[in-house]
Amino acid sequence: MLKEHKDVTAPVDEKLPLKTLLAFGLQHVLVMAASPIASVFLMATALNFPSELTINLLSATFIICGIGTLLQSVGFKGFGARLPFIMLPGGAPVILFILIAQQTDVATASGAVILTALFYFLVLPVFKKFLRFFPSVVVGTMLLLVAVNLVKISGFLIVGKAGSADYANPTHLLLAFATIAFTVLFARLLKGMWSQLAILLGLLGGTLVAMVLGAFHFEHLSLFPLFSLPSLMPFGMPKFDLFAALPLMIFCVISMVEATGQTIAIGEVVDKKLDTENDVAKTIRGDAAVSLLGGLFGTSLIITSGENIGVVRATGIRSRYVTLMSGLMLIAFALLAPLARVIHGVPEAVVGGTGLVVFAIVGTMGIDMLRRVDLRHHANMYVVAVALAVGLFPILVPGVYSQFPAGLASFLGNGVAMGAITAALMNALFHCLGKKAAQAPVTEEKPELQSQ
């Protein structure tokens, strides 16, 4: 008799029970929520926004991040790669938005975001031609740089700003290490789904310690206003200045490089065979569409986040419906102002402690990818070594390019992008050009991940 063959649902497409989606979706949101909050308050402080406008922008940022997360998770006609991505404001774009606004005005900064979003679509067909230069030796190196950069950012969340009176406050260090300790304890002692929620439970444990020590920001808590709705074009009609938009357009290319590595990495984590050229393009189109929407509501560029890849790897929950739920939660937090204020009350040191673990996991993924490359061969050794040197330099020595013109300094100062671009160029030099490529020995990695 012939056996019936049932379709096996891929892990990334698995529809999980509602309680599982809620729990793991919330975990993603709480780990990542510091980014939109920090970006809005940085803009508000630097540009002297009134409190009403700040709340309006916070609502807009959460909603746009939620819509973008839904788009990347579900996919729609070539927009979004149908992968478990969270979308967040990029740190560099926020700084560039502030600089443009200070040099011109906020309406011009919003116009620059819109122009850059359109520029994504213009550059994408050309960028797709270069995707073959991003094999695992390049992506693995990039993930290591991403991890180092994000761990550094988390470290500053914990210790604060250098030179401030509260710098390296022992209480903050205690909160961070308590959060890490809770995370490890729950991961070791709990079983099943509860063990997979160790990151969320560790964050909640650190928050409870903060409450006991009086470090929780209760001043942010209030019921009113109950609802918060963003405004279209909060700075008035956007002004379009190509010259002013150039720094963001340059970052757009950097963002596309990062999106390439993130798409390949998350595809591997969820065990989905990718059509690299098409799937990366879908991710980038999603970034472009959501950034265009963000520009209309006063935010800077909203891009796919590499941070949540570590959460997916740590939990082993690979379903894109989890991040779909996260997107719905982000929208709910935007509309229900008290929920956003509760998240804002969690001390940065607790969020930083969680980040140290999650982002270091991203680094282990890079190590795992590089493990499949024959680093004993001098070509691969030089690809990784030089890329790490170029990428780590601006990460570990901030301001090293500060004497360069502003646009060039911003480009060179992005260690992740510079390391990835260097790795791609070195890989092409050693493996794709001239006699070296023909004579290069076969590496030990899997065929689909071999250096090109």
Side-chain angles (χ1 to χ4, degrees):
M1 294 179 66
L2 294 174
K3 294 182 178 179
E4 293 184 4
H5 293 280
K6 295 183 179 179
D7 292 333
V8 178
T9 302
V12 72
D13 297 320
E14 184 181 2
K15 295 181 180 178
L16 302 173
L18 180 60
K19 67 176 183 179
T20 303
L21 294 177
L22 288 170
F24 287 99
L26 180 62
Q27 180 167 247
H28 275 285
V29 169
L30 290 181
V31 171
M32 304 300 153
S35 179
I37 292 172
S39 68
V40 170
F41 280 92
L42 179 61
M43 287 173 56
T45 301
L47 301 175
N48 297 315
F49 291 156
S51 58
E52 288 184 5
L53 178 57
T54 302
I55 294 173
N56 186 283
L57 290 176
L58 184 61
S59 175
T61 303
F62 269 111
I63 284 182
I64 303 301
C65 289
I67 292 172
T69 299
L70 293 177
L71 181 61
Q72 292 290 2
S73 301
V74 177
F76 181 75
K77 295 185 177 181
F79 290 81
R82 297 169 68 89
L83 291 167
F85 272 127
I86 301 286
M87 292 196 70
L88 296 172
V94 171
I95 299 299
L96 293 174
F97 183 97
I98 292 170
L99 291 175
I100 294 170
Q102 289 175 335
Q103 293 166 1
T104 55
D105 52 48
V106 285
T108 302
S110 287
V113 173
I114 294 171
L115 288 173
T116 302
L118 297 174
F119 186 66
Y120 268 106
F121 293 109
L122 184 65
V123 174
L124 181 57
V126 178
F127 181 79
K128 287 170 62 176
K129 306 294 184 183
F130 294 92
L131 290 178
R132 67 189 184 92
F133 296 112
F134 288 84
S136 61
V137 68
V138 176
V139 177
T141 303
M142 180 179 170
L143 288 177
L144 272 180
L145 291 170
V146 167
V148 173
N149 191 50
L150 291 176
V151 165
K152 181 180 178 181
I153 292 171
S154 291
F156 283 121
L157 282 178
I158 296 168
V159 301
K161 187 177 180 180
S164 65
D166 213 27
Y167 180 72
N169 187 318
T171 300
H172 298 168
L173 295 172
L174 174 62
L175 289 175
F177 289 126
T179 302
I180 295 172
F182 276 121
T183 302
V184 173
L185 191 66
F186 291 134
R188 176 65 183 85
L189 297 180
L190 300 180
K191 303 296 181 183
M193 188 182 81
W194 291 108
S195 177
Q196 295 169 314
L197 288 169
I199 293 171
L200 171 61
L201 296 175
L203 192 148
L204 294 177
T207 302
L208 289 175
V209 173
M211 290 180 175
V212 171
L213 297 178
F216 188 88
H217 303 305
F218 287 100
E219 67 274 14
H220 297 305
L221 302 184
S222 65
L223 283 176
F224 302 101
L226 187 59
F227 297 101
S228 178
L229 293 173
S231 300
L232 182 66
M233 293 185 286
F235 309 125
M237 183 63 67
K239 300 176 183 177
F240 301 105
D241 184 332
L242 277 174
F243 183 77
L246 277 178
L248 275 176
M249 289 182 175
I250 293 172
F251 176 83
C252 156
V253 179
I254 296 173
S255 174
M256 294 168 83
V257 173
E258 294 181 348
T260 300
Q262 291 164 4
T263 303
I264 294 172
I266 196 71
E268 181 167 304
V269 170
V270 302
D271 198 23
K272 178 179 179 179
K273 186 173 179 59
L274 299 178
D275 178 343
T276 303
E277 184 172 319
N278 288 327
D279 287 322
V280 168
K282 290 175 183 178
T283 300
I284 293 172
R285 286 193 205 102
D287 285 1
V290 175
S291 292
L292 178 61
L293 184 62
L296 294 172
F297 282 89
T299 78
S300 186
L301 298 180
I302 305 294
I303 55 180
T304 48
S305 162
E307 293 97 311
N308 76 295
I309 299 174
V311 178
V312 176
R313 170 57 69 88
T315 63
I317 301 297
R318 296 174 283 181
S319 172
R320 58 192 173 90
Y321 291 99
V322 170
T323 49
L324 186 152
M325 179 60 70
S326 298
L328 295 174
M329 288 181 174
L330 285 167
I331 294 172
F333 288 150
L335 298 177
L336 298 174
L339 293 178
R341 287 193 285 270
V342 169
I343 292 178
H344 188 209
V346 178
E348 290 184 338
V350 173
V351 177
T354 299
L356 288 179
V357 176
V358 171
F359 303 151
I361 290 173
V362 176
T364 67
M365 293 167 55
I367 294 170
D368 186 51
M369 294 186 79
L370 291 175
R371 184 176 55 84
R372 305 170 211 173
V373 178
D374 183 7
L375 294 179
R376 293 171 297 179
H377 180 243
H378 85 286
N380 291 327
M381 178 186 70
Y382 273 104
V383 170
V384 176
V386 175
L388 286 176
V390 172
L392 289 173
F393 192 28
I395 293 174
L396 300 179
V397 188
V400 64
Y401 299 115
S402 59
Q403 297 300 317
F404 285 55
L408 183 60
S410 176
F411 180 75
L412 296 175
N414 188 311
V416 174
M418 287 306 301
I421 292 170
T422 300
L425 292 175
M426 293 287 291
N427 181 70
L429 175 67
F430 279 102
H431 292 292
C432 301
L433 300 178
K435 295 181 180 179
K436 289 276 188 185
Q439 296 174 355
V442 177
T443 61
E444 295 179 351
E445 60 178 338
K446 294 179 181 179
E448 69 269 19
L449 293 174
Q450 278 189 323
S451 298
Q452 302 292 329

